Amino acid sequence: MSGAWNFVRRSFYQDSVTLMRLTRDMEAVPGVRRASAMMGTPANRALLGDAGLLAPEGEAAGPTDLVIAVLADTREAAEAARAAAESALTARRAAPAPGAAARPRTLASALQALPGATLALISVPGAYAGAEAVKALHVGLHVMLFSDNVPVATEIELKTLARERGLFLMGPDCGTAIVNGVPLGFANAVPRGRIGIAAASGTGLQEVACHIAAAGEGISHAIGVGGRDLSDAVGGLMMERALAALAADRDTAVVCVIGKPPGAASLEKMQKWIATLGKPCVAQFMGQSPTGGERWHAAATLEDAALAAVTLARGATPAAVEFTAPPGAIARLVEDAVLPMRANQRWVRGVYSGGTLAYEALGLLKARLVHVAAGLTGGGTGHRVVDLGEDRFTVGRPHPMIDGSVRREWIEKEGADPETAVLLLDVVLGYGAHSDPAGEILPAIRAAKIAAETTGRHLAVVASVCGTEGDPQRRSAQVAALSAAGVIVMPSNAQAARLAALIAAKRP
């Protein structure tokens, strides 16, 4: 008989990356419908409850307890999932082989093993992240705070402390950075160069860095400051520090600033900071019309921001790009997609793993189409975009850049809607991402196209690939795999969204 089972390990703290891997291992067990491994904080217990995964044992768990939650067809399947989780935890705790690198369990022991370390990457549940970050800052370490769900008040305290000590606090929810050529988090393999990036955005940073690399330039440093840094509540505490560092860096010739629209007070402060850079600057704020300042160039899209930075580095004047292919080629793509469609196919349905890329796509669709649903929840009956990296879709499950399970479900669901004309997708490569992101979602794409064909429909699938040839997944290999399955792969997320909008605009 199907049901939810919870298994609790008392006082058994695990970091978020480990928890995501446990979830993936459990969901691979036959008979398991859904699984999650989470620390028993009140917020996490509420998430488990909302997902139908909470049982009495988990309800009684404390913040330092590990809750293994399983929704399965039988008790036996749930026990098998628990065994898979325990096996993974045992393997993680196994002693290292002779000669293997040390695996310290505390910050103090880590510093003993690596006395020259200058940065700590923290990936723990938000309830504990602040305390760990304070420890790292007090011993003189810069911090990349990968953790999310960190209170704003804690963020302000941490960034104030970091500034007092002349350190960086990148984050919270900082998924990407490149410092001194070293990729951190979900970063891409890009060459060193003369363009610096300060970003309140993860996949936005990745998209810009990859386009800069494709244009033949490189990155000096890419500093993630956390998505809330430009809010008036935080006031750009780390953006100011990032811009000052890039201004002082001899290897940085051009600075690129990326993020969602800043608060009014933060924007006023940032304009002053940019004015003192002494270097050309490009700014791109999602959802905001490009309005340049006296000392900075405003870009409409992430691709435009990257190309503008490259152009400024070469001493030329930036120009926006609509499509890199000739107009005739774009017109043929639209015509070939539209002609086989049935009359009732009208809508663009975006299914995204990258939050900033989803936000950019939504803005581009809104500028070109009517009946576009607000927000990135995937709701509404018209054109819509969903960001599957949001917590509501990944309760205890790996981020869709790591595991494609949630995306496959949504691709098949959106493709099955008889009114869907275009599936719009992103594929994000890099360190930390799935080893074959395209391969992860191709079965769902093929299934959706076949299901459409059996009902006399033609389903257009448009995608972009954020990555480089140096990435472990190799961009050209990912593009080739998608193209072989009939996916129209565009050179950028912005161009993919524009093409999807053109196709939809041709429908009745």
Side-chain angles (χ1 to χ4, degrees):
M1 181 177 180
S2 64
W5 286 269
N6 288 177
F7 309 99
V8 179
R9 293 284 298 269
R10 301 295 177 189
S11 299
F12 196 71
Y13 172 77
Q14 298 294 311
D15 64 70
S16 56
V17 174
T18 297
L19 297 179
M20 288 190 291
R21 288 172 178 163
L22 294 182
T23 297
R24 182 174 59 191
D25 290 346
M26 290 190 290
E27 290 194 335
V29 173
V32 172
R33 299 185 180 184
R34 185 85 185 271
S36 174
M38 305 182 84
M39 301 307 299
T41 64
N44 285 345
R45 295 200 306 271
L47 288 172
L48 290 172
D50 291 342
L53 287 166
L54 190 64
E57 296 84 357
E59 182 64 47
T64 61
D65 299 335
L66 172 62
V67 179
I68 297 173
V70 185
L71 183 65
D73 293 334
T74 63
R75 174 81 189 197
E76 290 74 19
E79 290 286 357
R82 177 189 188 181
E86 295 286 355
S87 177
L89 288 168
T90 301
R92 181 176 172 81
R93 296 195 304 270
R103 296 165 68 179
R105 297 181 61 84
T106 66
L107 178 61
S109 59
L111 285 171
Q112 288 179 349
L114 292 170
T118 59
L119 182 143
L121 194 159
I122 297 175
S123 174
V124 301
Y128 317 105
E132 297 301 319
V134 166
K135 293 177 189 176
L137 293 170
H138 274 299
V139 296
L141 295 175
H142 300 289
V143 172
M144 179 176 178
L145 192 51
F146 190 87
S147 307
D148 58 6
N149 294 313
V150 175
V152 174
T154 301
E155 177 176 350
I156 294 170
E157 292 172 6
L158 293 173
K159 289 183 173 178
T160 301
L161 176 62
R163 284 166 60 95
E164 291 172 354
R165 293 176 169 266
L167 298 169
F168 279 104
L169 190 290
M170 296 182 284
D173 200 16
C174 179
T176 306
I178 303 171
V179 181
N180 289 327
V182 178
L184 301 170
F186 293 111
N188 300 92
V190 298
R192 293 296 300 274
R194 49 185 172 167
I195 299 174
I197 303 174
S201 160
T203 50
L205 187 158
Q206 289 184 261
E207 179 87 342
V208 170
C210 291
H211 282 298
I212 288 171
E217 294 288 342
I219 304 300
S220 56
H221 307 279
I223 304 169
V225 299
R228 297 184 304 212
D229 193 78
L230 292 177
S231 68
D232 283 342
V234 181
L237 285 171
M238 207 44 51
M239 180 60 77
E240 182 182 14
R241 177 114 174 77
L243 291 175
L246 293 174
D249 181 52
R250 293 181 179 180
D251 294 330
T252 300
V254 175
V255 175
C256 192
V257 180
I258 309 163
K260 291 181 180 178
S266 295
L267 178 60
E268 185 176 349
K269 288 191 289 186
M270 193 168 62
Q271 288 173 325
K272 295 178 181 178
W273 302 333
I274 291 174
T276 63
L277 277 175
K279 300 177 180 182
C281 180
V282 177
Q284 203 279 321
F285 300 120
M286 294 289 126
Q288 188 175 78
S289 298
T291 304
E294 182 181 347
R295 297 178 181 270
W296 52 291
H297 172 84
T301 67
L302 296 166
E303 180 182 26
D304 282 345
L307 297 180
V310 168
T311 303
L312 290 171
R314 295 171 181 174
T317 302
V321 171
E322 186 79 7
F323 290 104
T324 49
I330 298 299
R332 283 192 295 274
L333 286 174
V334 173
E335 183 179 4
D336 290 346
V338 168
L339 282 177
M341 288 183 181
R342 299 185 69 171
N344 64 329
Q345 291 183 258
R346 306 172 56 194
W347 309 122
V348 176
R349 300 291 166 71
V351 182
Y352 274 75
S353 62
T356 304
L357 299 178
Y359 197 86
E360 178 179 61
L362 182 66
L364 290 166
L365 293 178
K366 282 185 174 180
R368 290 159 174 77
L369 301 170
V370 295
H371 306 303
V372 180
L376 298 171
T377 64
T381 57
H383 308 290
R384 60 193 180 210
V385 179
V386 62
D387 170 20
L388 292 175
E390 285 288 330
D391 287 346
R392 73 188 71 193
F393 300 113
T394 58
V395 179
R397 302 178 93 172
H399 190 281
M401 285 168 58
I402 298 173
D403 184 288
S405 301
V406 177
R407 289 194 83 194
R408 289 195 296 270
E409 294 171 9
W410 273 78
I411 288 169
E412 291 195 29
K413 182 183 78 169
E414 295 288 43
D417 187 331
E419 292 189 309
T420 298
V422 186
L423 281 177
L424 177 61
L425 312 172
D426 67 334
V427 175
V428 183
L429 317 184
Y431 302 106
H434 191 277
S435 60
D436 182 14
E440 270 279 86
I441 60 173
L442 276 173
I445 293 172
R446 294 190 183 102
K449 289 176 75 70
I450 291 171
E453 290 170 4
T454 59
T455 59
R457 295 181 292 123
H458 171 70
L459 184 65
V461 184
V462 180
S464 65
V465 177
C466 174
T468 71
E469 283 302 288
D471 286 332
Q473 305 90 345
R474 257 196 332 124
R475 185 179 185 278
S476 61
Q478 296 288 297
V479 171
L482 291 166
S483 299
V487 177
I488 304 170
V489 182
M490 299 299 288
S492 70
N493 181 59
Q495 293 191 46
R498 291 189 189 108
L499 180 65
L502 284 176
I503 293 170
K506 289 285 187 179
R507 305 304 302 142

